[in-house]
Amino acid sequence: MDLGITDRTAVVTGGGGRIGGEDCRKLAEEGVNVVPLDVDEDGAAQVAEEINETAGGGNAMAVACDLTDRADVSESIGDVRDEFGGVDILVNNAAMVDARARIGDFEDDVWDRDVEINLTGTYNISKEVFPRMCERGWGRVINMSSMAGWYGGFGQFSYSATKAAMIGVGKTMALEGAQAGVTSNVIAPNIVVGEWSDMDPDELRENVDPYFARIAEATPMRALGSEADVADMITYLSSEQAGYVTGQVIGVTGGVDLFSF
């Protein structure tokens, strides 16, 4: 199926990481010019190099950028406009997820860091990109939340709070872009474990992590997610076919959000 986004330009924050990198590769397969934008310059460059060495896809341009630095964000998006003419698709994917402690033991500097990166970083780049989409009359914004943003996450105070906020961010942009040809949606995935997604709970418990095994056991499909599961949904939401889909929170979960008896 032709998704109608050939020659569009997508910026994927955190594009040098596992999920963001797969988002970039999948979009490039559809002929999209992709910008893996990441504070990790080497990671972004590696993703761009992989895409540019693959025949038949879109072009890629790696951009090193600190989303918490507004001047850096403005300059980086200016470079993207110089190269591709504008930004049509924005995937707000970058986030920190490494903190785990009860609220009484949570470190203040970790809270500040996570709010700055996960939420303020999204604000900074959205403010730079979204109004131009509305002026141009076409755009797609996909905001990455999480099951922790929907339901909370034990010991994940900063991550859960910022991922819940991403739902409000996504819905607000959906309202503001609705009459300007710009959609905004939110993806809330289950745990994404890459190569381990094919393992059943027993294999996860024995070979990887009992925590992952418990989540897989609670998932009706008895498996965790892969980067491709998320990237496929992002690609659809970026397409012309998804032009009437906006303001939605879409779970890519294997059913873990269902009430199972």
Side-chain angles (χ1 to χ4, degrees):
M1 178 185 293
D2 181 4
L3 298 183
I5 49 177
T6 299
D7 295 328
R8 294 289 189 183
T9 297
V11 170
V12 180
T13 69
R18 288 189 302 116
I19 297 175
E22 186 63 19
D23 297 342
C24 290
R25 285 184 284 268
K26 186 67 178 180
L27 287 165
E29 288 176 8
E30 300 298 330
V32 176
N33 301 313
V34 294
V35 179
L37 184 148
D38 205 304
V39 70
D40 177 5
E41 183 175 3
D42 292 339
Q46 182 176 345
V47 171
E49 183 178 356
E50 290 174 16
I51 291 168
N52 289 329
E53 289 178 351
T54 302
N59 298 314
M61 170 187 173
V63 173
C65 178
D66 179 357
L67 290 174
T68 69
D69 183 333
R70 290 181 179 133
D72 193 11
V73 171
S74 180
E75 182 178 351
S76 296
I77 295 302
D79 292 341
V80 175
R81 292 190 182 111
D82 289 343
E83 181 70 19
F84 295 120
V87 179
D88 304 298
I89 300 162
L90 174 62
V91 182
N92 282 317
N93 167 75
M96 297 297 294
V97 66
D98 60 347
R100 187 173 295 172
R102 290 181 181 235
I103 177 61
D105 299 320
F106 214 86
E107 297 181 14
D108 294 345
D109 59 343
V110 173
W111 166 267
D112 293 341
R113 179 203 66 177
D114 290 355
V115 170
E116 188 73 5
I117 294 172
N118 300 6
L119 187 55
T120 303
T122 294
Y123 165 79
N124 289 341
I125 195 164
S126 297
K127 186 175 182 180
E128 186 67 34
V129 169
F130 183 75
R132 296 283 190 96
M133 288 181 175
C134 294
E135 290 172 5
R136 292 165 55 150
W138 198 97
R140 301 285 188 266
V141 182
I142 300 98
N143 302 282
M144 288 294 293
S145 183
S146 165
M147 284 292 95
W150 250 346
Y151 298 108
F154 188 93
Q156 293 185 304
F157 202 81
S158 59
Y159 185 70
S160 297
T162 55
K163 287 303 179 180
M166 292 296 284
I167 295 174
V169 164
K171 288 179 176 289
T172 296
M173 284 197 282
L175 287 166
E176 294 189 7
Q179 296 184 40
V182 180
T183 68
S184 172
N185 291 286
V186 182
I187 294 179
N190 196 351
I191 294 177
V192 175
V193 292
E195 61 183 321
W196 302 326
S197 62
D198 292 332
M199 291 186 179
D200 65 29
D202 289 339
E203 291 175 308
L204 286 167
R205 182 174 290 104
E206 181 178 350
N207 298 299
V208 184
D209 190 325
Y211 172 73
F212 289 163
R214 289 197 299 272
I215 301 299
E217 286 173 336
T219 301
M221 297 185 81
R222 301 279 291 179
L224 301 181
S226 72
E227 292 86 351
D229 295 325
V230 174
D232 285 342
M233 181 57 69
I234 283 175
T235 302
Y236 166 68
L237 292 173
S238 299
S239 72
E240 286 285 0
Q241 285 83 346
Y244 198 59
V245 180
T246 197
Q248 302 306 301
V249 184
I250 300 170
V252 180
T253 69
V256 74
D257 49 320
L258 301 173
F259 181 71
S260 300
F261 292 93

